[in-house]
Amino acid sequence: MVGEVVAAVVALASAGTVYLMAAARVVKQYERGVVLRLGRLTSPVREPGFTMIIPAVDRMRKVNMQIVTMPVPAQEGITRDNVTVRVDAVVYFKVVDAADAIVRVEDYRFAVSQMAQTSLRSIIGKSELDDLLSNREKLNQGLELMMDSPAIGWGVSVDRVEIKDVSLPETMKRSMARQAEATRDRRARVINADAELQASRKLAEAAAAMSDQPAALQLRLLQTVVAVAAEKNSTLVLPFPVELLRFLERSGLQAQAQTAHAEAAAERARGQRPAAPDAAPAPAAPSPPPAPAPVENGHIDDVLPALEDLPEAENLP
C-alpha cells in the first residue's frame, strides 16, 4: 500500500515537473509576449519576466520591441526635372503595440520594407535633383510622414528615415563639374576686375597728389631705386631727370632766339648804311653761345658751368 502511494506521488511529481517545464516561459526585457489561446488573442500582453501558459492550448509569440535598423535597397527613379537617379535609404522603426504587430499584419518587417521602397520611389518622382543633393532633411521628413501613417495601424512606429546616397549618371556628373568650374571661373574674374578697379582708383588719387607736388615724383623715384638696389642680382638703370631735360630744352630755345635776333639786327644795320667803295666790311654776326656739354654718367655738375654762361633770354615771339 505504501509502495503504491509512493509510486503515485512520484508519478504526480513527474507529471507536474513535465507540465511546469512545458508551461513555463521567460520574456526578456526588450520583448513582449502575445498569447493565442486556441487561436484567440488573450489579453493582456505578457510583460518581461517569468510567465506561465497552458501547454497544448496556448501558443505565445515573442515580439522584439527594440528599434530596428532596416536598409532600403537602392531604387531607380526619374526626378521632376527629368534626371535619372539611384537612391538608397535606411529606416529606423520599432513596435509599439505587440498585439497589432502579430494580428494585423502577417510580417511587419516585410511590410515596412516594401512600404519604404514604394515611398522612396514616390518621393524621388516628386523632388528635383537639387533637393535630393542639398535639401535631404525635408525629404527625410516627407518619407517619415508617408511611412508612419499606414505603419501606425500595424503597431509599428517609424522613428526616422535617412537617405544615404544619391547616385548620378556619369554624364550628369561631368555636367555638374563643368558648371562648378564655370562658376568658380566667373567669381575669380569678377574678383580680379574689382581689384583692378580699386587699384586704378588708388593710382588716380596718387597721380593727382603727385601732380600737386612735383617733388613727390622724385621721392617716389628714389624709393623705387632703393627697392631695386636691395636685390644683389639686379642691374640698376637710373633714368635721366625730366626737369633737366626741360631746362636744356628751354636753354636751346633761348640760344636760337638770340641768334635769330642778332641776325635780324645785322640785316637792319646793313640796310640803313649807304654803300661806299672803301667802306669797311660789316661786322660779323655774333656767334651763338656754346651748346651745353653732354651729360655723362648722370652727373649734372659738369653741365651747370656751361648753363651759367648763357645770356639772359629775351621775349620769344
Side-chain angles (χ1 to χ4, degrees):
M1 185 68 181
V2 176
E4 294 177 356
V5 173
V6 172
V9 171
V10 171
L12 289 175
S14 300
T17 303
V18 172
Y19 178 82
L20 182 62
M21 293 178 61
R25 294 290 186 273
V26 176
V27 180
K28 297 180 181 179
Q29 181 64 38
Y30 55 85
E31 293 177 339
R32 297 295 184 271
V34 179
V35 179
L36 298 176
R37 180 168 298 169
L38 298 176
R40 188 183 182 89
L41 178 65
T42 61
S43 57
V45 176
R46 304 298 172 89
E47 296 295 329
F50 182 79
T51 186
M52 297 287 292
I53 63 173
I54 302 174
V57 176
D58 293 343
R59 189 177 299 273
M60 186 175 71
R61 295 183 59 178
K62 299 178 181 179
V63 180
N64 194 332
M65 307 296 288
Q66 293 176 315
I67 295 178
V68 180
T69 303
M70 177 180 294
V72 181
Q75 303 295 314
E76 290 187 359
I78 301 177
T79 61
R80 192 167 60 180
D81 50 355
N82 298 326
V83 179
T84 303
V85 295
R86 187 180 179 89
V87 183
D88 57 351
V90 59
V91 181
Y92 301 90
F93 68 95
K94 62 180 179 179
V95 178
V96 294
D97 193 334
D100 290 342
I102 296 298
V103 175
R104 291 177 178 266
V105 62
E106 180 181 3
D107 187 353
Y108 66 90
R109 289 176 178 266
F110 181 74
V112 171
S113 176
Q114 295 300 313
M115 183 178 57
Q117 296 180 30
T118 55
S119 299
L120 185 58
R121 284 178 176 269
S122 177
I123 207 69
I124 290 174
K126 295 179 180 178
S127 305
E128 295 183 355
L129 181 60
D130 293 339
D131 295 335
L132 289 175
L133 296 177
S134 60
N135 196 11
R136 294 188 180 181
E137 291 295 333
K138 183 178 179 180
L139 298 181
N140 294 337
Q141 294 177 1
L143 279 173
E144 182 179 348
L145 292 176
M146 292 177 65
M147 294 179 59
D148 193 50
S149 298
I152 198 66
W154 306 336
V156 178
S157 175
V158 178
D159 189 64
R160 63 185 305 178
V161 184
E162 294 287 344
I163 295 177
K164 291 197 302 183
D165 188 22
V166 178
S167 299
L168 301 176
E170 293 298 329
T171 55
M172 180 58 64
K173 291 181 181 179
R174 289 194 294 268
S175 300
M176 295 176 66
R178 289 195 299 269
Q179 179 185 1
E181 184 178 358
T183 302
R184 293 289 181 180
D185 189 24
R186 179 181 63 83
R187 292 175 59 185
R189 291 186 179 183
V190 170
I191 292 174
N192 289 334
D194 189 22
E196 291 293 338
L197 178 59
Q198 295 180 5
S200 63
R201 290 176 179 174
K202 294 299 181 182
L203 289 176
E205 294 178 2
M210 288 183 179
S211 63
D212 296 337
Q213 297 293 334
L217 183 61
Q218 297 297 328
L219 293 177
R220 182 58 183 166
L221 176 62
L222 294 177
Q223 290 178 357
T224 305
V225 170
V226 172
V228 174
E231 298 292 336
K232 301 292 183 180
N233 56 354
S234 61
T235 301
L236 180 60
V237 178
L238 184 62
F240 201 81
V242 179
E243 286 76 5
L244 183 57
L245 291 177
R246 293 176 179 175
F247 179 75
L248 294 177
E249 182 180 2
R250 290 195 300 268
S251 300
L253 293 176
Q254 291 176 1
Q256 293 178 3
Q258 290 177 358
T259 303
H261 182 70
E263 291 179 354
E267 290 292 336
R268 288 195 300 270
R270 284 196 298 268
Q272 293 177 0
R273 292 180 182 180
D278 52 353
S287 60
V295 180
E296 297 181 359
N297 299 328
H299 295 286
I300 307 177
D301 296 337
D302 299 336
V303 184
L304 294 179
L307 298 178
E308 293 176 355
D309 297 337
L310 295 176
E312 295 293 332
E314 296 183 0
N315 296 330
L316 297 179

Coordinates of all heavy atoms in Angstrom, one line a residue, residues 156-189:
V156 N 3.4 49.6 -35.5 CA 4.8 50.0 -35.8 C 4.8 51.5 -35.9 O 4.0 52.1 -36.5 CB 5.3 49.3 -37.1 CG1 6.7 49.7 -37.4 CG2 5.2 47.8 -37.0
S157 N 5.9 52.0 -35.3 CA 6.1 53.5 -35.3 C 7.5 53.7 -36.0 O 8.5 53.1 -35.6 CB 6.2 54.1 -33.9 OG 6.5 55.4 -34.0
V158 N 7.4 54.5 -37.1 CA 8.7 54.9 -37.8 C 9.4 56.0 -37.1 O 8.8 57.1 -36.9 CB 8.3 55.3 -39.3 CG1 9.6 55.6 -40.0 CG2 7.6 54.1 -40.0
D159 N 10.6 55.7 -36.6 CA 11.3 56.7 -35.8 C 11.9 57.7 -36.7 O 11.8 58.9 -36.5 CB 12.4 56.0 -35.0 CG 13.0 56.9 -34.0 OD1 12.3 57.4 -33.1 OD2 14.2 57.2 -34.2
R160 N 12.6 57.3 -37.8 CA 13.2 58.3 -38.7 C 13.6 57.5 -40.0 O 13.8 56.3 -39.9 CB 14.4 59.0 -38.1 CG 15.6 58.2 -37.8 CD 16.6 59.0 -37.1 NE 17.0 60.1 -37.9 CZ 17.9 61.0 -37.5 NH1 18.5 60.9 -36.3 NH2 18.3 62.0 -38.3
V161 N 13.7 58.3 -41.1 CA 14.2 57.8 -42.4 C 15.3 58.7 -42.9 O 15.2 59.9 -42.8 CB 13.0 57.7 -43.4 CG1 13.5 57.1 -44.7 CG2 11.8 57.0 -42.8
E162 N 16.4 58.1 -43.3 CA 17.5 58.8 -43.8 C 17.9 58.3 -45.2 O 18.0 57.1 -45.5 CB 18.7 58.6 -42.9 CG 18.6 59.2 -41.5 CD 18.6 60.7 -41.5 OE1 19.1 61.3 -42.5 OE2 18.2 61.3 -40.5
I163 N 18.1 59.3 -46.1 CA 18.6 59.0 -47.5 C 20.1 58.9 -47.4 O 20.8 59.8 -47.0 CB 18.1 60.1 -48.5 CG1 16.6 60.1 -48.6 CG2 18.8 59.8 -49.8 CD1 16.1 61.2 -49.5
K164 N 20.6 57.8 -47.7 CA 22.1 57.5 -47.6 C 22.9 58.1 -48.7 O 23.8 58.8 -48.6 CB 22.4 56.0 -47.4 CG 21.9 55.5 -46.1 CD 22.5 54.1 -45.8 CE 22.3 53.1 -46.9 NZ 22.9 51.8 -46.6
D165 N 22.5 57.7 -49.9 CA 23.3 58.0 -51.1 C 22.5 58.3 -52.3 O 21.4 57.7 -52.5 CB 24.4 56.9 -51.4 CG 25.4 57.3 -52.4 OD1 25.6 58.5 -52.6 OD2 26.0 56.4 -53.1
V166 N 22.9 59.2 -53.2 CA 22.3 59.5 -54.4 C 23.3 59.3 -55.5 O 24.3 60.0 -55.6 CB 21.7 61.0 -54.4 CG1 21.1 61.3 -55.8 CG2 20.7 61.2 -53.3
S167 N 23.1 58.3 -56.4 CA 24.0 58.0 -57.5 C 23.5 58.7 -58.7 O 22.3 58.5 -59.1 CB 24.1 56.5 -57.7 OG 24.6 55.9 -56.5
L168 N 24.4 59.4 -59.4 CA 24.1 60.1 -60.6 C 24.7 59.5 -61.8 O 25.8 58.9 -61.7 CB 24.5 61.6 -60.5 CG 23.9 62.4 -59.4 CD1 24.5 63.8 -59.3 CD2 22.4 62.5 -59.5
P169 N 24.2 59.7 -63.0 CA 24.9 59.2 -64.2 C 26.2 59.9 -64.4 O 26.4 61.1 -64.0 CB 23.9 59.5 -65.3 CG 22.6 59.6 -64.7 CD 22.9 60.2 -63.3
E170 N 27.1 59.3 -65.2 CA 28.4 59.9 -65.4 C 28.3 61.2 -66.2 O 29.0 62.2 -66.0 CB 29.3 58.9 -66.1 CG 29.7 57.7 -65.3 CD 30.5 58.1 -64.0 OE1 31.3 59.1 -64.1 OE2 30.4 57.4 -63.0
T171 N 27.4 61.2 -67.2 CA 27.2 62.5 -67.9 C 26.7 63.6 -67.1 O 27.2 64.8 -67.2 CB 26.2 62.2 -69.1 OG1 25.0 61.7 -68.5 CG2 26.7 61.2 -70.0
M172 N 25.9 63.3 -66.1 CA 25.4 64.4 -65.2 C 26.5 64.8 -64.3 O 26.6 66.0 -64.0 CB 24.2 63.9 -64.4 CG 23.6 64.9 -63.5 SD 23.1 66.4 -64.3 CE 21.7 65.8 -65.3
K173 N 27.3 63.9 -63.9 CA 28.5 64.3 -63.0 C 29.4 65.2 -63.8 O 29.9 66.2 -63.2 CB 29.2 63.1 -62.5 CG 28.5 62.2 -61.5 CD 29.3 61.0 -61.1 CE 28.5 60.2 -60.1 NZ 29.3 59.0 -59.7
R174 N 29.7 64.9 -65.0 CA 30.6 65.8 -65.8 C 29.9 67.2 -66.0 O 30.6 68.2 -66.0 CB 30.9 65.1 -67.2 CG 31.8 63.9 -67.0 CD 32.4 63.5 -68.4 NE 31.3 63.0 -69.3 CZ 31.0 61.8 -69.4 NH1 31.6 60.8 -68.6 NH2 30.0 61.4 -70.2
S175 N 28.6 67.2 -66.3 CA 28.0 68.5 -66.5 C 28.0 69.3 -65.2 O 28.3 70.5 -65.3 CB 26.5 68.2 -66.9 OG 26.4 67.5 -68.1
M176 N 27.8 68.7 -64.1 CA 27.8 69.4 -62.8 C 29.3 69.9 -62.6 O 29.5 71.0 -62.0 CB 27.3 68.6 -61.7 CG 25.9 68.2 -61.8 SD 25.3 67.1 -60.5 CE 25.5 68.1 -59.1
A177 N 30.3 69.1 -62.9 CA 31.7 69.6 -62.7 C 32.0 70.8 -63.6 O 32.6 71.7 -63.1 CB 32.6 68.4 -63.0
R178 N 31.5 70.7 -64.8 CA 31.7 71.9 -65.7 C 31.0 73.1 -65.2 O 31.5 74.3 -65.3 CB 31.3 71.6 -67.1 CG 32.2 70.6 -67.9 CD 31.9 70.6 -69.4 NE 30.5 70.2 -69.6 CZ 30.1 69.0 -69.9 NH1 31.0 68.0 -69.8 NH2 28.8 68.7 -70.2
Q179 N 29.8 72.9 -64.7 CA 29.1 74.1 -64.1 C 29.8 74.7 -62.9 O 29.9 75.9 -62.8 CB 27.7 73.6 -63.7 CG 26.8 74.7 -63.1 CD 25.5 74.2 -62.6 OE1 25.2 73.0 -62.7 NE2 24.7 75.1 -62.1
A180 N 30.3 73.8 -62.0 CA 31.0 74.3 -60.9 C 32.3 75.0 -61.3 O 32.6 76.1 -60.7 CB 31.3 73.2 -59.9
E181 N 33.0 74.5 -62.3 CA 34.2 75.1 -62.7 C 33.9 76.5 -63.4 O 34.6 77.5 -63.1 CB 34.9 74.2 -63.8 CG 36.2 74.8 -64.2 CD 36.9 73.8 -65.2 OE1 36.3 72.7 -65.5 OE2 38.0 74.1 -65.7
A182 N 32.9 76.6 -64.2 CA 32.5 77.9 -64.8 C 32.1 78.9 -63.7 O 32.4 80.1 -63.8 CB 31.3 77.7 -65.7
T183 N 31.4 78.4 -62.7 CA 31.0 79.3 -61.6 C 32.2 79.9 -60.8 O 32.3 81.1 -60.5 CB 30.1 78.6 -60.6 OG1 28.9 78.1 -61.3 CG2 29.6 79.6 -59.5
R184 N 33.2 79.0 -60.6 CA 34.4 79.4 -59.9 C 35.2 80.4 -60.8 O 35.8 81.4 -60.3 CB 35.3 78.2 -59.6 CG 34.7 77.3 -58.5 CD 34.7 77.9 -57.1 NE 34.1 77.1 -56.1 CZ 34.0 77.4 -54.9 NH1 34.4 78.6 -54.4 NH2 33.5 76.5 -54.0
D185 N 35.3 80.1 -62.1 CA 36.0 81.0 -63.0 C 35.3 82.4 -63.1 O 36.0 83.4 -63.1 CB 36.0 80.3 -64.4 CG 36.9 81.1 -65.3 OD1 37.8 81.8 -64.9 OD2 36.7 81.0 -66.6
R186 N 34.0 82.4 -63.1 CA 33.3 83.7 -63.1 C 33.6 84.5 -61.8 O 33.9 85.7 -61.9 CB 31.8 83.4 -63.2 CG 31.0 84.7 -63.2 CD 29.5 84.4 -63.4 NE 29.0 83.6 -62.3 CZ 28.6 84.1 -61.1 NH1 28.7 85.4 -60.9 NH2 28.2 83.3 -60.1
R187 N 33.6 83.8 -60.7 CA 33.8 84.5 -59.4 C 35.3 85.0 -59.4 O 35.5 86.2 -58.9 CB 33.6 83.6 -58.3 CG 32.1 83.2 -58.1 CD 32.0 82.2 -57.0 NE 32.5 82.7 -55.7 CZ 32.5 81.9 -54.6 NH1 32.1 80.7 -54.6 NH2 33.0 82.5 -53.5
A188 N 36.2 84.2 -59.9 CA 37.6 84.7 -60.0 C 37.8 85.9 -60.9 O 38.5 86.9 -60.5 CB 38.5 83.6 -60.4
R189 N 37.1 85.9 -62.0 CA 37.2 87.1 -62.9 C 36.6 88.3 -62.3 O 37.1 89.4 -62.5 CB 36.6 86.7 -64.3 CG 37.3 85.7 -65.1 CD 36.7 85.5 -66.4 NE 37.5 84.5 -67.2 CZ 37.2 84.2 -68.5 NH1 36.1 84.8 -69.1 NH2 37.9 83.3 -69.1

